[in-house]
Amino acid sequence: MPPFDGNIVQILLWAVIGYSLGSVPFGILVTRALGLGNLREIGSGNIGTTNVLRTGSKLGALATLILDGGKGAVAVLLARYFGSEMAAQVAALAAFVGHCFPVWLGFKGGKGVATFLGILLALAWPVGIAACLTWLATAILSRISSLSALCAAALSPIWSIMLGRFEFVFLCCALAALIFWRHKDNIKRLKTKTEPKIGQK
């Protein structure tokens, strides 16, 4: 973690801004805009990219992926530019929490994978690319989105260490822990080999 700069008001401000950006439910907004129905009543009911793909719209899924990743990246970049490195990490964590627990949806949001990857790409792009490649390689081999997310999350602290970005290790560990928590039901299905593969409804 970077040293605390002592400006608690600024840190709290970026926490609020990060949460506000992260809490925008792009999956729901995209599916409504494309006339794909109520995402909460489709597939798993999740608001993320994988569930949008279950509507049959690859365009909708791609838009959700980019927007959910983008909101995490924007939170980080704004906080870094106008605040500090500490503010950027606080905004990153707050954006992730906002996506997973948005106040607008009764704190029932997504699982945060796209937002997680967007955050890492903005914080340290080599770490972000390593995490994206981990997700992609696992997805190609297993065709299981949740397993890909868990592998990318679990390895992110290791990528941070190997790529010399030690200041992000704690944040990566915190985000990975939250991703595992949000995927607890998926983990149960992975154990029983009942987890659906990418593209299955």
Side-chain angles (χ1 to χ4, degrees), residues 25-79:
F26 282 117
I28 289 178
L29 297 177
V30 167
T31 51
R32 285 181 180 174
L34 295 178
L36 300 174
N38 184 355
L39 191 59
R40 287 299 201 182
E41 298 175 355
I42 297 171
S44 65
N46 191 266
I47 66 171
T49 301
T50 300
N51 203 42
V52 174
L53 186 60
R54 293 190 179 105
T55 66
S57 174
K58 293 181 180 179
L59 174 62
L62 178 61
T64 302
L65 174 66
I66 293 172
L67 290 168
D68 277 349
K71 65 186 182 184
V74 168
V76 169
L77 295 175
L78 285 176

Side-chain angles (χ1 to χ4, degrees), residues 144-177:
I144 300 177
S145 179
S146 60
L147 181 60
S148 304
L150 292 169
C151 289
L155 289 176
S156 63
I158 296 174
W159 295 134
S160 292
I161 293 171
M162 292 181 64
L163 294 168
R165 304 308 301 264
F166 302 103
E167 69 272 27
F168 299 128
V169 172
F170 178 81
L171 177 62
C172 285
C173 288
L175 295 175

Side-chain angles (χ1 to χ4, degrees), residues 102-121:
V103 64
W104 330 111
L105 300 178
F107 301 102
K108 296 178 181 179
K111 296 179 181 178
V113 181
T115 303
F116 165 73
L117 295 175
I119 285 168
L120 291 187
L121 286 169

Side-chain angles (χ1 to χ4, degrees), residues 134-151 190 195-200:
T134 301
W135 188 99
L136 182 60
T138 309
I140 291 173
L141 292 173
S142 69
R143 293 195 57 79
I144 300 177
S145 179
S146 60
L147 181 60
S148 304
L150 292 169
C151 289
L190 286 169
E195 180 75 343
K197 294 191 176 183
I198 294 172
Q200 288 183 338

